[in-house]
Amino acid sequence: MTTASVPRTPLVILSTFVVVSLALGWLIAMPLVLLDPAELAEAPMEAYYNLFMLTPAVAAVVAYLLERRHSAATLYGHISGDDADRFRPQKLVDALGITPLRPVGRLLGWSVLALLLFFVFSLAALPLGGLLGVYPFDPSMPIFLQDLGYRLGHDATEFLATGLMVEAGVIFGMAVVLVFLHAGQEMGWRGYLYPRIQQRWGVLPAVGITGLASGLWYAPLLSVGFFYDQTELFEALALMVGFCLIIGGLLAWLRMRSGSIWPAAFAQSMITAATVLHYWFAEFGPQIDFRQATLQGWSGWIIPGVLLAVLLVFRKKAFAFPVR
């Protein structure tokens, strides 16, 4: 038995999903865009951000309801032969990638892989950035030691290993806690949109279109300084599109091979939770340029980009739904 069959959704509905996602994102963020800098500093940014993250899921529900108005022949007329014997139309939870949750071992395995992989990406970006001269990398971790010593009340050098283990546990714990926040965007971009574009045009167009659309979705947050502070909007938007193409391609791989959005959501959560790493390994003093350094900047995309390139070479198998 396979996962529920992906429909050949009419292009007008796929376009509607993208338009609704962008429109809702702008609607949520517009109050922030209209604030002056002093008012923006006092705004409840976390509340706006959390609501913003839900907009692709809402758009996906709208698109799914429109999709259901079409006949089975329109949506599933492409299914024939052996596939027809295993045909099962999608329910809402299928369409958003919330299910399947079984086999549990596969779901847990891919989720753990996602957490570990994106922790490694976040960590490896720092010495690589130091090697390329775009990040003030210091393996002695002076800022981390200073912070740990402040909390302990004495010199923390001999407790460095223990402190690192505890803080790494905090990062992984936070990534697990944040997964439901990031699941909202994954239900839309990788849950609903990506498989439908791949079904129509293949892996490369699906990675490109989903990456471009999700990058543009961030525009209102970028305009008020999220992610790339003090960066012109068009430059920040270009950087975000690059990030969404490379990282989003890997998230699409996790979504397709696991059969659901949860490993991709865990990966997104780890990206957020692991941002603290760039403080641990930085020298005192220099400002970090997020356009160039960390997983957020171009130097951090190199290692994920290599993995994505390899996966795209074998895309027919790498981006196929698993057989249950």
Side-chain angles (χ1 to χ4, degrees):
M1 182 179 180
T2 60
T3 55
S5 300
V6 177
R8 190 174 176 82
T9 305
L11 293 179
V12 65
I13 296 179
L14 297 180
S15 301
T16 298
F17 164 78
V18 174
V19 170
V20 172
S21 294
L22 299 180
L24 287 177
W26 272 102
L27 182 64
I28 295 295
M30 188 56 66
L32 297 177
V33 175
L34 298 176
L35 295 176
D36 61 43
E39 293 173 325
L40 188 61
E42 300 296 324
M45 304 293 278
E46 185 176 350
Y48 282 102
Y49 181 79
N50 292 347
L51 287 173
F52 183 87
M53 288 293 121
L54 292 174
T55 56
V58 175
V61 172
V62 171
Y64 174 78
L65 293 176
L66 292 174
E67 187 178 276
R68 287 187 61 188
R69 297 171 65 89
H70 290 263
S71 67
T74 299
L75 298 177
Y76 299 102
H78 60 284
I79 298 175
S80 60
D82 293 337
D83 290 336
D85 295 334
R86 299 189 297 266
F87 168 76
R88 180 166 69 86
Q90 287 189 325
K91 299 177 181 178
L92 178 61
V93 289
D94 298 323
L96 271 61
I98 297 172
T99 56
L101 300 177
R102 294 184 179 184
V104 175
R106 183 181 70 201
L107 177 63
L108 290 177
W110 280 98
S111 297
V112 170
L113 174 63
L115 289 169
L116 292 173
L117 188 61
F118 277 81
F119 179 81
V120 170
F121 286 156
S122 299
L123 185 61
L126 306 181
L128 181 58
L131 185 65
L132 296 171
V134 297
Y135 172 75
F137 182 71
D138 188 340
S140 67
M141 306 178 68
I143 296 177
F144 179 77
L145 279 173
Q146 182 187 65
D147 180 62
L148 184 60
Y150 176 79
R151 284 181 284 165
L152 293 175
H154 54 78
D155 181 68
T157 304
E158 63 181 297
F159 298 100
L160 177 59
T162 302
L164 284 173
M165 290 177 61
V166 171
E167 293 299 328
V170 171
I171 288 175
F172 277 86
M174 183 177 295
V176 172
V177 170
L178 292 174
V179 70
F180 293 104
L181 169 63
H182 294 285
Q185 62 176 311
E186 289 307 311
M187 288 176 196
W189 299 118
R190 254 71 55 176
Y192 182 83
L193 183 64
Y194 179 88
R196 284 160 171 75
I197 298 179
Q198 180 173 311
Q199 191 277 326
R200 275 185 167 270
W201 295 309
V203 173
L204 288 174
V207 169
I209 293 171
T210 307
L212 176 61
S214 57
L216 295 175
W217 170 65
Y218 282 105
L221 295 185
L222 295 171
S223 70
V224 295
F226 270 82
F227 308 112
Y228 301 104
D229 190 24
Q230 297 181 343
T231 302
E232 292 294 328
L233 176 59
F234 288 108
E235 181 183 359
L237 198 55
L239 287 164
M240 182 55 70
V241 168
F243 177 89
C244 289
L245 285 170
I246 294 173
I247 301 302
L250 294 177
L251 297 178
W253 165 64
L254 291 170
R255 186 270 189 267
M256 297 301 287
R257 292 307 299 145
S258 68
S260 75
I261 55 97
W262 295 108
F266 276 113
Q268 289 272 29
S269 296
M270 178 53 76
I271 293 172
T272 300
T275 54
V276 69
L277 290 174
H278 68 258
Y279 291 111
W280 293 7
F281 291 94
E283 299 173 355
F284 282 115
Q287 293 292 314
I288 298 172
D289 186 350
F290 293 104
R291 297 170 300 179
Q292 302 187 76
T294 77
L295 193 60
Q296 195 170 313
W298 64 262
S299 66
W301 307 341
I302 295 174
I303 297 175
V306 170
L307 175 58
L308 178 60
V310 172
L311 292 171
L312 290 176
V313 170
F314 303 99
R315 56 186 174 273
K316 187 173 182 179
K317 291 185 177 180
F319 288 81
F321 273 123
V323 177
R324 289 197 282 180

